[in-house]
Amino acid sequence: MTKLEELQEIIDTHSRIVFFGGAGVSTESGIPDFRSQDGLYNQQYRYPPETIISHTFFVRNPEEFYRFYKEKMLILDVEPNAAHKKLAELEEKGKLLAVVTQNIDGLHQAAGSRRVFELHGSIHRNYCRKCGKFFDASYMKAAEGVPKCDVCGGVIKPDVVLYEEGLDQDCIEGAVSAIREADCLIIGGTSLVVYPAAGLIDYFRGDKLVLINKSATSRDRSADLVISEPIGEVFSQIRV
């Protein structure tokens, strides 16, 4: 039996699947990741990316923050790929309980997924720090310099978890609950090095653990199935 056939059998025989994904899920849609050879951490800026996307830097230097954010993170001209679409189909068929994602691009929802726990927030939600008014991503993209509220003039902040900020507690609890309920956990497109997000998979007590990632991860040894291929290519061959 090939690894793809094994994955198909696991999906066919489980009905409480949870998917836990990272940047590798969206790279096939054209969104750069952070840690690969061509990722954002390996490109040159006036400041290291991890400094720019910190809470302190956002508060002290919003102009430089938004230059980086709009160019490298606020990416709107992309479409869901085969992985996003297949996961939405699995949810529609009643086989997938939830998607837990470290991504902020909203592509799972764009593909039709309804129960999505966005651990690191979303570029599609933005709020004025002064009055709390909501703004969508296109408003942010169109704004010159630092996006300001059209009501009170306050600085708008993306609902994205920056360095030094904690994860949303309700989101964590929802993700943990889904992972605990799962009979199969499929981890895809993540190197499992970002904590506390990666630690959530420790709550899995189900039957099958599947890992789909181009490079090796720290959890490969404990997985029932490891596939070292791009996740979109893998999911494009799965029947729902």
Side-chain angles (χ1 to χ4, degrees):
M1 185 185 290
T2 66
K3 289 193 171 189
L4 194 64
E5 288 168 339
E6 203 176 331
L7 176 61
Q8 184 70 62
E9 186 177 272
I10 290 171
I11 289 173
D12 289 344
T13 54
H14 291 78
S15 58
R16 297 194 315 280
I17 301 168
V18 167
F19 179 79
F20 182 96
V25 179
S26 292
T27 50
E28 287 168 87
S29 290
I31 294 180
D33 71 354
F34 275 66
R35 287 176 171 76
S36 72
Q37 194 173 347
D38 302 316
L40 297 184
Y41 282 177
N42 291 308
Q43 298 178 22
Q44 296 301 310
Y45 293 93
R46 282 176 58 197
Y47 303 89
E50 53 265 60
T51 298
I52 298 174
I53 53 175
S54 68
H55 179 84
T56 299
F57 194 90
F58 170 78
V59 172
R60 291 179 180 169
N61 198 341
E63 296 85 3
E64 191 71 21
F65 170 88
Y66 270 114
R67 264 197 290 276
F68 178 88
Y69 178 79
K70 287 181 188 178
E71 183 185 345
K72 295 298 179 183
M73 298 172 71
L74 191 58
I75 301 170
L76 304 181
D77 54 346
V78 288
E79 298 291 333
N81 61 51
H84 299 108
K85 292 172 184 173
K86 200 68 70 172
L87 289 164
E89 284 180 50
L90 285 166
E91 184 184 23
E92 194 179 340
K93 288 286 196 290
K95 293 184 72 67
L96 186 85
L97 288 179
V99 169
V100 180
T101 181
Q102 299 172 83
N103 296 339
I104 59 174
D105 50 50
L107 288 177
H108 285 292
Q109 291 93 329
S113 289
R114 292 182 295 279
R115 194 171 185 222
V116 182
F117 295 102
E118 295 173 304
L119 298 175
H120 296 150
S122 173
I123 61 170
H124 297 283
R125 297 188 300 270
N126 306 275
Y127 299 95
C128 172
R129 299 186 80 209
K130 208 167 176 182
C131 73
K133 182 178 176 182
F134 170 89
F135 295 89
D136 63 15
S138 55
Y139 182 93
M140 303 294 281
K141 195 80 170 175
E144 286 189 24
V146 178
K148 300 281 181 69
C149 178
D150 57 5
V151 172
C152 74
V155 172
I156 303 169
K157 182 182 181 296
D159 187 16
V160 168
V161 179
L162 304 177
Y163 285 104
E164 306 166 347
E165 295 179 345
L167 305 191
D168 180 81
Q169 200 56 40
D170 289 340
C171 182
I172 291 175
E173 288 173 10
V176 166
S177 177
I179 290 169
R180 275 185 174 141
E181 290 173 38
D183 60 5
C184 171
L185 179 63
I186 300 176
I187 299 170
T190 173
S191 50
L192 294 175
V193 296
V194 178
Y195 281 81
L200 298 187
I201 65 175
D202 291 334
Y203 291 97
F204 178 62
R205 296 289 180 268
D207 178 41
K208 294 287 185 184
L209 177 63
V210 177
L211 262 161
I212 307 170
N213 195 53
K214 288 198 286 186
S215 58
T217 77
S218 59
R219 304 294 180 120
D220 286 11
R221 286 184 181 179
S222 55
D224 297 286
L225 175 63
V226 177
I227 300 177
S228 305
E229 302 289 340
I231 192 162
E233 288 180 23
V234 173
F235 270 104
S236 68
Q237 300 173 73
I238 293 297
R239 300 181 311 278
V240 176

